[in-house]
Amino acid sequence: MRKRSMGRRVGVLLAAAVLCTGFPAGKLLPVGQVLASSGEQDRPFVALGADLKPQEREDVLKQLGVTEEELAGCTVVTVTNEEEHAYLDDYLDANVIGSRALSCVLVRPRENGAGLDVTTKNISYCTISMYRNALITAGVEDADITVAGPFPISGTAALIGITKAYEQMTGEEISEDSLKTAANELVLTGELGQVLGDADQAEQLIAAVKQEVVSSGISDEEGIREILKKAQTELGISLEEEDQEKIIALMKKVTGLHLDADALKAQAKDLYDKVKNLDLSVSQDMKDSIGGFFTKILEKVLDLVENIRK
C-alpha cells in the first residue's frame, strides 16, 4: 500500500486504540458506546445516500445499527447520484447506476495491521471480497466497514461512500486514479463472477493476478497476459479474449498505483491465502524479453542525447 504520513498514521492508531480499549484485539465498540467514550477525532464516520426518503433513511440506519441521536454524534458525509455517475459511468450502464443515491456506509478504524473487515446488509450484488479487494486498490486499509441499503440494492455505488468516509477518518485524500481503478475492479469482478457463474472464482482470479503483477513489478501487456494465462490454468478457468483484455487493461492501471504486495495480503488475508500457492511467475524468457525491450529504449534515448551533443 502507499506510505502514509507519520502524523496521519499516529492519529488513526490513537483512534483505533481508543475505540478498542478494554476489548479483545480486533473487536470494536457498538456505536453508542464509542460516542460515550471517545473524543471528537474518534467518532464513527457515516456516508449516507443523498436521495434517501425519510422511511428509507430510518430503515438504513437500523441496518447500520445507528439511531438518529447517535448519528448526531457521528461525522457524516453525503454521497450524491452525480458523484456515483462520475466514477462509475465508464464501467456501468447509466441505467444500472440509476438516478438516486441510496448506498450507505459506517466506517470505523481498526488497529494497525488488522486489515479490512466488511459487513453487508441488503446488498444483493457486491460480495465482501469484491469490496475488500477493490478498497485495497483504492488505498483503504485497517477499517471496519458496514455497507447497507434501505432495501436490496446492488451496492456498486457504495464504494464512493466508503472512500469519502475513509478520507474523513484518516485525513488522507484518495486520488481520482485510485478510486476510478477501484471502481473498475469492483464492476469487472462482478461481471466475471456472472460470466464464470462463480463469484469466488472471479475474486480469486483478480486477487491472484493483481498480487503477482504488484509483487513482480511487471507492467507491460505481454507480461500481464502471461500472468493471467497462468492464473486461468491454475484456477481451471477459461475466459473469452474480450474478458481477458478487460483484466489486462485493469492491471495496467493497477501498476501505476504503486501498491505494496505485502499490504494486499495483510488487508484481506483470507482471500489472498486462497491464491498464495498458485505459481504465476513469468518465464525467464519473458523476463529477458521485457528487460531487452527497456534496454533498447534506453539505448535509443542515449543515442539521441549523444546526437544532440554532436
Side-chain angles (χ1 to χ4, degrees), residues 162-180:
I162 296 170
T163 53
K164 285 189 73 172
Y166 184 80
E167 286 179 329
Q168 289 289 316
M169 184 180 83
T170 62
E172 179 180 298
E173 183 179 357
I174 291 175
S175 73
E176 185 168 315
D177 284 345
S178 296
L179 183 48
K180 284 195 171 184

Side-chain angles (χ1 to χ4, degrees), residues 84 88 103-105 123 131 147 155-163:
E84 295 175 344
L88 292 168
S103 300
C104 301
V105 301
I123 301 300
Y131 278 127
V147 185
T156 49
L159 183 70
I160 315 304
I162 296 170
T163 53

Side-chain angles (χ1 to χ4, degrees), residues 263-279:
L264 294 180
K265 293 180 285 187
Q267 293 301 310
K269 186 176 183 301
D270 56 339
L271 173 59
Y272 283 87
D273 277 349
K274 293 178 182 178
V275 299
K276 67 180 180 181
N277 293 323
L278 302 183
D279 180 13

